Amino acid sequence: MTKKSADPANGSAPAARQVPMRDFSRSLPMSLLRAREAVMRQFRPSLREHGLTEQQWRILRALAAIEAVEVTELARTAFLLGPSLSRILRDLEARNLIERKTAKADQRRSMVSISKEGVKLMASVAPTSEAIYAEITRRFGARKLAELQEMLGELERSLAGLGGADETIAGE
Amino acid sequence: MTKKSADPANGSAPAARQVPMRDFSRSLPMSLLRAREAVMRQFRPSLREHGLTEQQWRILRALAAIEAVEVTELARTAFLLGPSLSRILRDLEARNLIERKTAKADQRRSMVSISKEGVKLMASVAPTSEAIYAEITRRFGARKLAELQEMLGELERSLAGLGGADETIAGE
DNA sequence: GGGAGATGCTTAACATGTTAAGTGAATGCG
DNA sequence: CGCATTCACTTAACATGTTAAGCATCTCCC
């Protein structure tokens, strides 16, 4: 439906096909990207209806399970970089979905926690979110889903310590 | 090495633990995100050395395999949204890595192709890139890698047509 | 053949990813 | 104590993701 046949109605054909590489669309990064997008596409509309982005939702979920965390620890949990988290927390705080207060022992640290309003918002989103997740599980198969997650974890572990660049290993 | 023990030196503990949900860090989107990040972390430094971002590299690779494509088709291939692609093409064109000319038959369409310089740049990046991919394959295992990719493809297919929102199905 | 609607692409606006620099508060050590 | 370092975060700057408009061009159909 999408691709027509060749369209040779063009003059000079510029350079191409010089560099042999794996078929681009089958590279691992692309597979992972497409799979994740296919999954997130299911959730985004529902989140959007509640005025939340994917990352904001991640943060609220991470906060819902604990009393309070430091920003750095939250960044690890929600898998966000510091600067992104910093901005998002500023916004979530302005919307009264989270609360922040500096730690007593160390003035540098700030402890973040979800607010009552935040909990309320989560309660209104969670059912739909869980339903979507259930449907995905149903379609793909619970067994296969578990297998997939296991493989993803293995992949992650097998690449740990192969840090692309400044690894700052002991003895450096 | 990273997490200390509990630090109960805090007064009022705000609302939390009200909304029961799956363990956040084990959700499928997070697994996919972390796995992809683990992989991309390997490639980014090399690309960066050559002044390329991940997306720019995707575009060059997509272009290397063909003579010329329309922008929309390229967006599909490189898995980028129109607006992102539009910006990136503007920059790549300014750097003389790609060429663009409007199609004769339809003035709306513009045909994009990689330039001689673009091919040269690819040739300088490809070896390192392939080496990294080979190392990833070695670490994770070629067999398992193929399995993983197969599962990712299945996941994608099983969610196709479950379009999160405005699906624009016939009869709507 | 002319105007309504579809199409291909770009711009705009806002949120996040990514790297680097900045800031204020702890720490280590002479 | 004093001061260089480290640490926890925040700001800044630039690139992309994401949605909505904008703008030509094309198509279709009366």
Side-chain angles (χ1 to χ4, degrees):
Chain A
M1 293 312 194
T2 322
K3 51 175 49 175
K4 302 297 163 50
S5 52
D7 181 354
N10 268 44
S12 62
R17 222 181 276 276
Q18 256 79 324
V19 182
M21 285 194 73
R22 276 167 297 104
D23 179 1
F24 158 64
S25 67
R26 275 171 218 163
S27 71
L28 180 56
M30 281 300 281
S31 295
L32 290 166
L33 180 57
R34 278 201 301 251
R36 182 172 144 81
E37 178 54 28
V39 172
M40 285 315 302
R41 195 196 312 287
Q42 314 304 319
F43 290 98
R44 259 189 282 269
S46 161
L47 292 178
R48 188 174 169 71
E49 276 178 24
H50 293 277
L52 287 175
T53 65
E54 179 191 333
Q55 292 82 356
Q56 293 168 343
W57 178 237
R58 286 220 298 273
I59 292 173
L60 290 184
R61 284 191 59 181
L63 288 177
I66 57 182
E67 295 305 327
V69 267
E70 308 168 16
V71 172
T72 300
E73 170 70 6
L74 181 56
R76 265 197 343 102
T77 308
F79 210 69
L80 291 169
L81 294 179
S84 295
L85 182 54
S86 207
R87 279 178 306 215
I88 301 174
L89 288 180
R90 168 166 46 71
D91 299 347
L92 290 180
E93 188 173 26
R95 288 165 65 182
N96 293 315
L97 295 176
I98 66 163
E99 290 163 13
R100 209 162 10 171
K101 59 182 175 183
T102 53
K104 295 185 179 66
D106 187 338
Q107 294 297 108
R108 292 172 306 181
R109 291 172 158 75
S110 107
M111 305 301 291
V112 183
S113 55
I114 192 168
S115 72
K116 211 164 270 188
E117 268 198 66
V119 172
K120 221 187 299 181
L121 179 55
M122 281 205 69
S124 77
V125 179
T128 305
S129 190
E130 285 295 301
I132 293 172
Y133 203 89
E135 173 65 10
I136 292 174
T137 304
R138 193 186 67 71
R139 287 214 175 199
F140 186 58
R143 172 78 58 93
K144 274 202 297 198
L145 183 53
E147 276 181 52
L148 174 56
Q149 306 232 46
E150 174 54 29
M151 294 191 82
L152 292 172
E154 276 185 62
L155 174 59
E156 218 185 315
R157 286 189 294 278
S158 70
L159 297 187
L162 212 178
D166 55 332
E167 263 309 272
T168 318
I169 302 292
E172 169 66 17
Chain B
M1 296 316 185
T2 321
K3 50 175 48 176
K4 302 295 161 48
S5 53
D7 181 355
N10 268 48
S12 64
R17 223 181 274 278
Q18 256 78 325
V19 181
M21 285 195 73
R22 275 165 298 103
D23 178 2
F24 158 63
S25 67
R26 276 173 217 161
S27 71
L28 179 57
M30 281 299 281
S31 296
L32 290 166
L33 181 57
R34 279 201 301 251
R36 182 172 145 79
E37 178 54 28
V39 173
M40 285 315 301
R41 194 194 315 287
Q42 315 302 320
F43 291 99
R44 260 189 282 268
S46 160
L47 292 178
R48 186 175 172 69
E49 276 178 24
H50 293 277
L52 287 175
T53 66
E54 179 191 333
Q55 292 81 358
Q56 293 168 344
W57 178 238
R58 286 219 299 273
I59 291 173
L60 290 184
R61 284 191 60 182
L63 288 177
I66 55 181
E67 295 304 326
V69 266
E70 308 169 17
V71 172
T72 300
E73 170 70 5
L74 180 56
R76 265 197 343 102
T77 307
F79 210 69
L80 292 169
L81 293 180
S84 297
L85 182 54
S86 208
R87 279 178 306 215
I88 301 174
L89 289 181
R90 168 166 46 71
D91 300 347
L92 291 180
E93 188 173 26
R95 288 166 64 184
N96 293 315
L97 296 176
I98 65 162
E99 290 164 13
R100 206 158 19 168
K101 59 182 175 181
T102 52
K104 294 186 178 67
D106 188 337
Q107 295 297 108
R108 291 171 307 180
R109 290 171 158 75
S110 106
M111 305 302 290
V112 184
S113 54
I114 193 169
S115 72
K116 212 164 269 187
E117 268 197 66
V119 171
K120 223 187 297 180
L121 179 55
M122 282 205 69
S124 78
V125 180
T128 305
S129 190
E130 285 296 301
I132 294 172
Y133 202 91
E135 173 65 10
I136 292 175
T137 304
R138 193 186 67 72
R139 287 216 174 198
F140 186 58
R143 174 78 57 92
K144 275 203 296 199
L145 184 53
E147 275 180 52
L148 174 56
Q149 304 233 47
E150 175 54 28
M151 293 191 83
L152 291 172
E154 276 184 61
L155 174 59
E156 216 185 317
R157 285 190 293 279
S158 71
L159 298 186
L162 213 178
D166 54 330
E167 262 310 88
T168 318
I169 302 292
E172 170 63 19

